[in-house]
Amino acid sequence: TIESGMRISPWQAENIDLFTAQCSAQKWKIVRKGGLYAFHYPDDASTKQAYKVLAFADKLLGLYRSNYNSRAVAGEQFILELPPYGDISSGNVTGLQAGTWRAIDDDIYARMGLAHELVHPFVNANVPKSDSLYAFAIEGFPSYFHLPVLGSIWGRDWYDNLMAWLEQQYLDKKRTGTDNRGRVLPSEKPLLSITADEVSRYKDVSVLDDRALLF
């Protein structure tokens, strides 16, 4: 229903723990390729990019299923254009913020962002939070395992150059104690000493995932 210009949609999830459910509401339009769907904003720019998001995602998923856990994402897959709050991955749902969506055609980092979010469920090691490998696996694995696939698409030179750049970036952080924006980094800890509740602190300033993928 619509009341005073507000669209109201009742929704009920039965026999589901609240923390295992998520609901995304938006006036999307949909582009589909087999079991892969792109939910995009209705404007012309988003619509144009939806076909490119779909095509690149389809290529990535084919390679992920061939090389990683093919049972990780069964059935339909959904990619959603979302407000500018960051890209996400949750099972068979991938969310790209509007900026990533709009840049998918001409920004390599946007395509890398899509590749990273899509690979999460394929390399999920299901490590318990109490395990010392948790941080390494939950962020290190998806930070790395999309890169060999992109290397198979864009070439070995691209892969080697990226890894060399990441190594230099890490050494610079280690030397200066700051990231490339000048922000002070938290004190470095061994990968296996980063606990589950510290993942966001270390991931966001990139002193977790860069070491994991270099390793």
Side-chain angles (χ1 to χ4, degrees), residues 36 57-77 89-94 114-126 137 141-142 145-146 149:
L36 180 60
D58 188 50
K59 178 182 290 187
L60 290 168
L61 289 170
L63 290 167
Y64 291 162
R65 290 183 174 123
S66 297
N67 292 284
Y68 301 143
N69 183 358
S70 61
R71 298 182 302 279
V73 181
E76 297 173 321
Q77 181 87 13
S89 175
S90 180
N92 66 339
V93 177
T94 298
L114 172 58
H116 170 79
E117 299 302 341
L118 279 177
V119 85
H120 264 276
F122 289 92
V123 296
N124 180 8
N126 198 27
F141 285 9
F145 280 107
H146 68 297
V149 167

Side-chain angles (χ1 to χ4, degrees), residues 100-137:
T100 304
W101 191 279
R102 299 292 180 90
I104 205 74
D105 189 32
D106 55 13
D107 187 342
I108 194 170
Y109 293 105
R111 295 195 289 279
M112 288 174 67
L114 172 58
H116 170 79
E117 299 302 341
L118 279 177
V119 85
H120 264 276
F122 289 92
V123 296
N124 180 8
N126 198 27
V127 176
K129 288 187 175 182
S130 59
D131 195 304
S132 59
L133 282 171
Y134 178 79
F136 181 85

Side-chain angles (χ1 to χ4, degrees), residues 161-187:
N161 289 336
L162 177 72
M163 296 304 288
W165 177 80
L166 285 166
E167 180 182 22
Q168 188 57 56
Q169 288 284 301
Y170 170 61
L171 293 174
D172 288 344
K173 293 172 191 173
K174 196 173 179 66
R175 176 177 54 83
T176 64
T178 61
D179 65 10
N180 54 13
R181 297 181 183 178
R183 295 175 298 185
V184 177
L185 300 172
S187 58

Side-chain angles (χ1 to χ4, degrees), residues 29-31 38-56 81 101-106:
K29 288 188 174 180
I30 304 171
V31 176
F39 285 59
H40 61 90
Y41 291 171
D43 59 275
D44 291 343
S46 289
T47 303
K48 178 182 177 183
Q49 295 301 84
Y51 291 95
K52 296 171 182 177
V53 168
L54 200 65
F56 193 55
E81 183 179 9
W101 191 279
R102 299 292 180 90
I104 205 74
D105 189 32
D106 55 13

